[in-house]
Structures are given as structure tokens and as C-alpha cells.
Amino acid sequence: MRNSEIQPVLKDEECFEVIRKKLHRDSMEDFSLIDYEVVPIDGVNGYLGQYFTLKATVARPMTPLDTRNLNFFTKIPPPVSSPQYEFIQQYGAFKKEVELYTRVFPEVLHGSEEKCIPECFLGLENDVIVLEDMAHSGFVMTDKFQPFDFEHCEVLMKTLARFHAKSFIFEKQYERNLHDEFSHCMQETLWPDKDGRSKSMFDAAVKGTVSIIEMIPDLNEEEKTAFKQKVIDLSASHMNKLSPSSKHKNVLCHGDLWANNILFKYDKDEKPIECCLIDFQLARYNPPAHDVLCFFQFTTNRELREKHGDTLLKIYYDSMSEALKEVGLDISTIFPRSEFLASIEDLRTMCITHGVLNTPIMLLEPGAASKYFSEEPELLESVLYVDRTPLVCGQFENEPRYRARMLDGLLELYDRLAN
């Protein structure tokens, strides 16, 4: 595994290979490389890697002044000095993402007219991933603190449905189970149901969430005590519930659909028209409802979920039906609507819980995220694996946007458990 502090992010021959593949795909074999550089991307946009842009300039040999600039998104594991380095080594998160881009996606997603993931130009097991720079195609990241509106959710539902449909299509056409076929990259990489750092990280997440409950102004002491115990009880079986379902049909799920992992393209009126999914290190083989419901918890507010949730579920299901119909498959025999809605109901409490355990870290203000995940990683050990109470309670107390989102999810869970 390379360390950007002491060696290049990309070797010369790797850069040449990436650029050669890009030019070949664009039928531009008569271009030659003029120059390239690898530039760090500022800010903390994810928590399990380091991000760079590979910038290259190419030109036609016969007309050297006719140059073209190429950009690629480049990702390597966290620094060796970061606690996250040991975690992804132990549970194989980075390795899994490389396998997905280089082996699974080419087999499962091929032929899709909807381009919902970036093209991969290089993937080396524990070292590096180089992807198409979606910004060049007009895709941008949203503000993670701004809850998605209906239009953004609608675009995502349609894209996610087509992504999930590819799993059903693959399994039906080849009569092979995705989990069995690609078991080496379907393992749980956030909270595997085992001891070690995974269990420590999960326990720290639960402790942080319980500490925020203590600060909810709408509940009295008796209500807080009862709610905290219910969350602790729910959490006892939560890690196990991330495994493939034995009751409901499973598909390849993204597993981490928060704002920073969804890029949008907009029309001239600033309306979202397409989206692209990135960062598959937490992908898992789960019921489609898991992705749908966790997306709701990670990116929307309760008002939207209650007002438009049913409509968005219909958009999702109808979009999947259309995707299956295009290849001659009938959704009523593969994934009946009644089964989909039953899985939504069965997984709803679990996914709301997943939301309140994850959003406290996802929605850290930029200053706090940079401090712990970039500038002073020595502080990260305690926050990730021991007790994140000081961090999340400090954010809750001092950051209004953070507090609003935490209260939104926690009070929704409280009301659901009370009924």
C-alpha cells in the first residue's frame, strides 16, 4: 500500500496507462502526453481515503499547439498514520471497492444506458483507484447540510432503481447469485458482526448517539432514559442486520448514500436531471429497501419523508419495473410490489437507527471534519473507537444546522418506537 507522504500517489507508468486508456476510449490514438501532475483535493469529502486530481495535457503530434486537458479523480487509502488505515486493512474496504470497479461492475452493469457510476481507468488492490472525473461531465457535489428536496430525491430514486435492477437482471440471466459469485467483495466493511476495531467503532457510535439523546430539549428525563435504553437494545442486533436478508430478496446495494457520495447534473434552470453514485467501500448485498431508506435518513428531513415518501417509493418501483421490462423481464414475478413494500416496513426502524448512528459523523462541520480526519489524525483514535461524545455533543450544542438534523432523525425514531 502506497503512502503519499513518502512516495508518489501515481507512478509514471500508471499515469501513462490511465491516459492511454482514456485516449483509446475516445478514439484519439494520435495524441501524445505533454505533461501531467497529481494535485490534492482540498477539504474532507469522505472518511476512508485521500483524494487527488490527475491533471494531464495531451496534444496531436502533427499540431502540437492543439492541446487537450484531461482530469481524473484519484483515490488512495488513508495515511499509514491514520487509525482509518488499520481499519480498512483489517476489513478490506479499499480492496473491495477496487474489486467492484474492476470485476463486478463490468460484468453486472454493462450495457446500461444510464451512466450512474464513473468509469474506472485503474484499480490496484490496496493501492489506488483512478476514475473518470465526473466534474468534466457537469456533475457536482451538493451541500451536505442542505436536505435534499423532492426533485433531487426523484432523480436519485430513478437512478438507484436502475442500479438495483442490474442485480436482478444478472441473477436472472446467468442464474448465478451475486453474493456467491463475488463473495470476495460482498463482505460487510463498516460494522462486521465481529470483535476488534469494528465492534469498538460501533460501540463508540452508539455511545455518541446516546449522549446526544441526553441533550434533546423536547424530552423529559424519564423519556430520555427510556429512549436511550431502547436505542441500546436496538443496537444489540444492529450489526447482524447488515448481513444479507434471509427473508427478502437482496441486491448489490451502495450502502453509503449520503450527500457526498451522490453527484448531480443540472439543467439551465438549475433543476437536477441526472445523478452519479461514487464511493462504494461500504457496498453490501442487502434488500433494495436498505439503500432507499438509508438514503432518506442520510439526506432528507422528516417533513419530506412524511410528505413525499410514498410517492418516491412509487417512482423507485416504477423505474425498476421499466428497467426490467427493457430486457424482457416482468417485475411482478421477480420483485412483486407487495414484497418491496413489506421489506420497506420491515427495515424502516433498522434504517432510521442506522441513520442516527451514522449522521453524527457524516454531518460534522468542515472545521471539525478537517481537524479530526486531516489536520490532527492523532485525535481520531479516541473519536472513532472509544467515545465520540465530546465531539458530537459539541457539534450539537454549537452548530445549528447539525443540531437540527440530529433532532430530526432522533425524534422520528423516538416517535416510531413509542407507537
Side-chain angles (χ1 to χ4, degrees):
M1 187 177 292
R2 66 195 70 195
N3 183 352
S4 63
E5 298 170 358
I6 59 175
Q7 66 185 114
V9 173
L10 285 169
K11 300 173 185 176
D12 287 349
E13 58 269 27
E14 293 167 351
C15 291
F16 297 152
E17 177 66 9
V18 168
I19 295 163
R20 185 195 66 77
K21 285 182 179 179
K22 170 65 174 174
L23 295 179
H24 176 72
R25 189 178 72 73
D26 292 351
S27 301
M28 298 169 59
E29 301 287 4
D30 59 341
F31 272 65
S32 60
L33 178 64
I34 302 300
D35 192 20
Y36 73 89
E37 62 177 337
V38 180
V39 183
I41 296 175
D42 293 333
V44 177
N45 296 314
Y47 299 116
L48 289 175
Q50 302 175 78
Y51 307 103
F52 304 84
T53 300
L54 167 60
K55 299 183 175 183
T57 302
V58 297
R60 296 182 186 276
M62 301 300 293
T63 53
L65 296 181
D66 180 16
T67 62
R68 178 183 175 189
N69 296 321
L70 304 173
N71 285 356
F72 304 87
F73 175 80
T74 304
K75 177 178 180 179
I76 64 173
V80 176
S81 58
S82 169
Q84 293 293 71
Y85 172 87
E86 182 182 335
F87 186 88
I88 69 163
Q89 280 285 85
Q90 183 173 357
Y91 300 111
F94 196 91
K95 178 181 178 181
K96 175 170 76 174
E97 187 170 27
V98 170
E99 289 285 323
L100 287 168
Y101 272 114
T102 58
R103 294 188 58 186
V104 181
F105 292 161
E107 283 201 51
V108 178
L109 301 183
H110 65 85
S112 175
E113 294 178 1
E114 301 291 328
K115 191 171 185 184
C116 61
I117 64 166
E119 183 175 356
C120 180
F121 290 97
L122 179 69
L124 301 178
E125 188 170 284
N126 272 328
D127 276 345
V128 65
I129 299 172
V130 180
L131 304 172
E132 175 184 5
D133 183 359
M134 298 306 292
H136 182 73
S137 300
F139 289 86
V140 295
M141 187 179 293
T142 63
D143 177 359
K144 69 178 182 179
F145 296 106
Q146 181 64 42
F148 282 13
D149 58 19
F150 178 82
E151 287 76 18
H152 285 82
C153 291
E154 181 180 22
V155 171
L156 185 280
M157 286 294 106
K158 292 178 178 179
T159 301
L160 186 63
R162 299 187 76 89
F163 176 75
H164 287 163
K166 285 294 184 177
S167 294
F168 287 134
I169 293 168
F170 176 89
E171 294 188 341
K172 185 68 174 178
Q173 290 183 339
Y174 295 98
E175 297 185 348
R176 289 146 61 190
N177 178 276
L178 266 176
H179 191 268
D180 294 341
E181 189 72 15
F182 302 108
S183 59
H184 57 286
C185 56
M186 293 286 178
Q187 79 279 16
E188 175 60 31
T189 44
L190 175 62
W191 291 324
D193 192 11
K194 59 182 74 174
D195 292 331
R197 279 190 170 264
S198 170
K199 184 65 165 61
S200 298
M201 180 184 277
F202 179 76
D203 289 344
V206 175
K207 189 179 294 185
T209 297
V210 167
S211 70
I212 294 177
I213 291 173
E214 186 60 40
M215 302 178 72
I216 297 178
D218 299 6
L219 304 182
N220 61 39
E221 290 307 312
E222 182 179 349
E223 290 168 332
K224 289 177 185 176
T225 298
F227 187 25
K228 287 190 289 187
Q229 188 58 53
K230 287 181 179 179
V231 169
I232 292 170
D233 292 344
L234 277 176
S235 300
S237 60
H238 188 80
M239 295 172 76
N240 178 259
K241 291 176 181 175
L242 297 175
S243 301
S245 174
S246 58
K247 178 179 180 181
H248 300 290
K249 289 187 174 71
N250 301 286
V251 297
L252 174 60
C253 284
H254 180 282
D256 196 22
L257 287 172
W258 66 299
N260 284 16
N261 289 339
I262 308 167
L263 308 179
F264 285 92
K265 179 186 283 190
Y266 298 85
D267 64 15
K268 59 181 177 59
D269 298 319
E270 297 299 311
K271 294 291 186 181
I273 53 174
E274 292 180 57
C275 74
C276 170
L277 312 181
I278 61 173
D279 198 342
F280 287 85
Q281 292 192 85
L282 304 186
R284 49 175 69 95
Y285 192 64
N286 271 169
H290 177 89
D291 257 356
V292 172
L293 293 173
C294 285
F295 161 77
F296 285 158
Q297 299 305 131
F298 292 160
T299 67
T300 70
N301 59 29
R302 186 178 182 180
E303 180 183 4
L304 181 136
R305 293 190 287 271
E306 292 180 346
K307 184 177 181 181
H308 297 297
D310 289 345
T311 301
L312 289 169
L313 292 178
K314 183 179 187 304
I315 290 170
Y316 170 90
Y317 189 81
D318 290 347
S319 298
M320 177 179 282
S321 176
E322 181 181 332
L324 294 175
K325 186 177 181 180
E326 289 171 3
V327 294
L329 298 178
D330 182 359
I331 195 170
S332 65
T333 60
I334 292 177
F335 192 41
R337 189 183 299 268
S338 59
E339 288 187 15
F340 172 58
L341 295 178
S343 69
I344 289 288
E345 186 56 34
D346 286 352
L347 272 66
R348 194 179 293 274
T349 298
M350 178 266 190
C351 290
I352 297 175
T353 304
H354 200 63
V356 302
L357 292 175
N358 280 277
T359 50
I361 292 296
M362 288 177 174
L363 297 180
L364 291 175
E365 287 287 337
S370 294
K371 176 180 179 180
Y372 285 90
F373 287 87
S374 178
E375 298 164 7
E376 302 177 51
E378 66 275 6
L379 301 175
L380 195 56
E381 180 79 25
S382 177
V383 166
L384 287 182
Y385 303 112
V386 182
D387 187 5
R388 56 193 64 172
T389 296
L391 172 60
V392 298
C393 286
Q395 292 279 290
F396 186 92
E397 187 173 6
N398 299 315
E399 303 292 346
R401 297 185 299 179
Y402 185 92
R403 179 167 58 252
R405 293 288 291 277
M406 296 306 109
L407 286 173
D408 190 82
L410 283 166
L411 290 175
E412 182 179 17
L413 180 60
Y414 176 83
D415 290 342
R416 183 166 180 84
L417 295 178
N419 294 330

